[in-house]
Amino acid sequence: MRVEIWSDIACPWCYVGKARFEKALDAFPHRDEVEVVHRSFELDPGRAKGDIQPVITMLTKKYGMSEAQAQAGEENLGTQAAAEGLAYRTRDRDHGNTFDMHRLLHLAKARGRQDELIGLFYQANFAEERTVFGDDERLVELAVAAGLDAGEARRVLADPAAYADDVRADEREAAELGANGVPFFVLDRTYGVSGAQPAEVFAQALSQAWGERPGLTLIQDEAGDAEACGPDGCAVPQN
């Protein structure tokens, strides 16, 4: 079974939702038969790469709330994150463009290191003091920590076209699926789960999607005795 997760590194609920989903997945009896793929979704796609500002400033401008309201929201998110065992800096975080991080995540997918990299991106953005925005070398360090080659990561960052089409394809697909926010989880292209739901909801979705997978329909001739090979060898027609 495949689970696709549309998310953005700048999305705190994606950070929390990933932890809740993984809690459910770790307890799922068929865990080893579930493939998880991370898909790109930008919350602020029009923001220039160099346009970096404090999270509180972004929240007050974007949503028209007061600084006190924005800070209260961050404190609440910190509490929600802590409940999942996650570190979360409720003050002095930055907000910026995440397109380059999404491009690196597609490189990581090609190298089999996607889950490692997105976890490090989340940790760096929400829990560590050093910003992940506007600092290519910081992204390279995280890519190397995830198991990627530093030179290859730098080449991707230096080429704006590298994996750009993959990011845009993910975003178009999200729109086609009706996802207008993240996190958005799609199980076997049959079930969708929107938002950072409790682990129990994810557990239910996994069980339901697994149980309703279509069974194998066997097609054969009427006799049903076509030659085949098995553990005891291959049947050889006798004349």
Side-chain angles (χ1 to χ4, degrees):
M1 182 168 70
R2 170 180 281 199
V3 178
E4 298 162 278
I5 308 173
W6 273 264
S7 59
D8 191 12
I9 303 305
C11 165
W13 288 118
C14 296
Y15 179 46
V16 173
K18 181 176 185 291
R20 292 175 177 173
F21 170 75
E22 288 175 347
K23 184 181 294 184
L25 185 61
D26 286 344
F28 186 54
H30 308 285
R31 167 67 184 91
D32 293 341
E33 297 174 73
V34 178
E35 176 192 12
V36 178
V37 179
H38 296 281
R39 301 291 192 191
S40 299
F41 189 107
E42 294 172 277
L43 290 173
D44 203 352
R47 182 177 290 269
K49 181 175 180 177
D51 185 3
I52 303 165
Q53 63 183 165
V55 166
I56 297 299
T57 302
M58 180 275 293
L59 291 172
T60 59
K61 290 183 176 180
K62 187 171 183 178
Y63 299 107
M65 59 178 65
S66 68
E67 287 192 9
Q69 289 172 321
Q71 187 59 54
E74 283 295 286
E75 298 294 340
N76 176 56
L77 279 162
T79 300
Q80 298 278 349
E84 304 303 329
L86 301 173
Y88 190 98
R89 295 177 68 238
T90 59
R91 296 178 183 272
D92 302 320
R93 286 196 304 109
D94 287 337
H95 176 77
N97 181 284
T98 58
F99 188 60
D100 283 348
M101 282 182 272
H102 284 294
R103 295 195 299 117
L104 283 176
L105 284 168
H106 277 280
L107 167 65
K109 179 185 175 186
R111 301 294 177 264
R113 309 300 296 177
Q114 192 185 43
D115 194 65
E116 290 80 0
L117 184 57
I118 198 169
L120 288 169
F121 279 165
Y122 280 139
Q123 173 73 18
N125 184 42
F126 291 108
E128 297 175 8
E129 184 174 350
R130 185 178 171 187
T131 185
V132 294
F133 301 105
D135 185 351
D136 283 358
E137 280 306 302
R138 174 62 168 149
L139 298 185
V140 171
E141 289 174 11
L142 294 168
V144 170
L148 299 179
D149 177 73
E152 191 171 30
R154 287 193 181 96
R155 285 192 292 274
V156 168
L157 291 171
D159 179 6
Y163 294 103
D165 289 345
D166 299 89
V167 176
R168 298 306 182 211
D170 278 357
E171 293 173 338
R172 285 194 302 272
E173 199 163 14
E176 291 167 1
L177 291 170
N180 52 18
V182 285
F184 188 69
F185 302 77
V186 176
L187 291 75
D188 256 1
R189 290 298 172 108
T190 302
Y191 292 96
V193 179
S194 181
Q197 300 285 347
E200 294 77 14
V201 173
F202 288 121
Q204 179 183 353
L206 286 166
S207 295
Q208 188 167 344
W210 182 269
E212 295 185 12
R213 292 176 306 146
L216 181 68
T217 300
L218 186 63
I219 299 175
Q220 57 187 12
D221 63 16
E222 293 182 1
D225 57 357
E227 293 80 4
C229 295
D232 297 325
C234 299
V236 179
Q238 302 295 318
N239 293 328

